[in-house]
DNA sequence: TGAATACATGAGCGCATATTCATATAAAGC
DNA sequence: GCTTTATATGAATATGCGCTCATGTATTCA
């Protein structure tokens, strides 16, 4: 938000009343939240990760289980699990040399369902 | 899903029972839905588009209004509005030479709220 | 101790994408 | 008709990202 305004600035249309402008500007002021939201949805924006989450919604499983079920390499899955971990969407538990992954909270399902509702409208 | 399986294939862990495996495999069979879901979330995965949707949640407005409020070029906004249009997240209405945009349905808000719930947990 | 297995990770490649710039279209006013 | 304003869009560039390949770490077992 550090660009200088061009001639566009004088183009606030008449339907936009001043209170609306101020309200939106106030919302825009809190930039952090936009980046966090976008960052979260970016994680959902990949079919491999969607598949992983969808599988984990069915049962806790280890890395090689997921790789096998998705017919993808262990490395690819491991990389994606790291992304999901950093977004706090999955948690893991180590048992010997095997690492079991599972969903970390309920939000995943809820976000999915809203997404599905839109896709299937 | 067209890769040949390596030695990973023999690594289905013991916690995964056969019925779970079949259930997940059956879910994975319907590949289309994963791509559609990922495609939808990809649209939400950009802070500029998030800001646009957030602004439109407050009021219907034209392209230059949005550009002004977000301090971005008209071109950049126009490109992003096309993405949002193609995802059926916004609709538009032409009045003279001005094009007014607004949210196309309720899902946007709902998806946002679920995202926020996760971010603020 | 050495081999095998499960997982993580850094480098690199190829591809998608967000923005800018230049330009096109279209409506309004002179 | 000409100019200005609002919007759309194609090309180009720069950045980000997903996968592979190679390798590292940790655990188990012989």
């Amino acid at each position: 938000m550090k660009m200088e305004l061009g001639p566009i600035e004088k183009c606030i249309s008449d339907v936009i009343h001043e209170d609306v402008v101020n309200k939106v500007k106030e919302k825009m002021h809190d930039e952090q939240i936009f980046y966090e939201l976008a960052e979260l949805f970016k994680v959902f924006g990949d079919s491999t990760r969607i598949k992983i989450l969808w599988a984990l919604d069915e049962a806790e499983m280890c890395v090689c289980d997921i790789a096998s079920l998705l017919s993808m390499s262990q490395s690819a899955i491991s990389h994606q699990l790291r992304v999901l971990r950093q977004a706090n969407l999955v948690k893991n538990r180590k048992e010997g040399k095997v690492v079991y992954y599972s969903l970390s909270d309920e939000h995943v399902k809820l976000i999915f369902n809203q997404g599905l509702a839109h896709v299937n409208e």
Side-chain angles (χ1 to χ4, degrees), chain A:
Chain A
M1 308 282 274
K2 281 156 202 132
M3 293 181 47
E4 56 248 63
L5 291 174
I8 282 174
E9 188 164 20
K10 60 187 168 190
C11 156
I12 296 280
S13 76
D14 297 345
V15 263
I16 307 274
H17 299 311
E18 198 179 348
D19 54 338
V20 172
V21 172
N22 290 331
K23 203 164 178 184
V24 175
K25 278 187 176 171
E26 196 180 334
K27 282 163 90 179
M28 292 297 160
H29 215 255
D30 188 16
E31 284 232 17
Q32 193 61 29
I33 204 70
F34 296 112
Y35 287 107
E36 288 180 21
L37 260 182
E39 226 52 43
L40 173 64
F41 286 123
K42 216 171 281 182
V43 177
F44 283 97
D46 176 80
S47 59
T48 297
R49 289 192 289 268
I50 292 273
K51 288 177 192 172
I52 293 175
L53 293 171
W54 201 297
L56 292 180
D57 180 45
E58 204 60 46
E60 175 192 58
M61 52 184 91
C62 68
V63 179
C64 66
D65 285 337
I66 302 172
S68 173
L69 285 169
L70 269 60
S71 302
M72 291 182 66
S73 74
Q74 173 267 322
S75 180
I77 298 299
S78 206
H79 277 295
Q80 297 297 3
L81 282 171
R82 190 163 58 90
V83 176
L84 292 169
R85 237 185 302 135
Q86 287 169 345
N88 286 317
L89 293 174
V90 300
K91 58 175 188 277
N92 58 3
R93 145 182 97 81
K94 193 167 184 180
E95 195 172 290
K97 56 184 171 178
V98 182
V99 179
Y100 292 101
Y101 280 85
S102 57
L103 300 185
S104 66
D105 63 34
E106 314 295 301
H107 297 308
V108 177
K109 255 184 172 172
L110 296 171
I111 295 177
F112 265 41
N113 289 336
Q114 294 303 337
L116 275 175
H118 181 85
V119 169
N120 294 327
E121 115 282 24

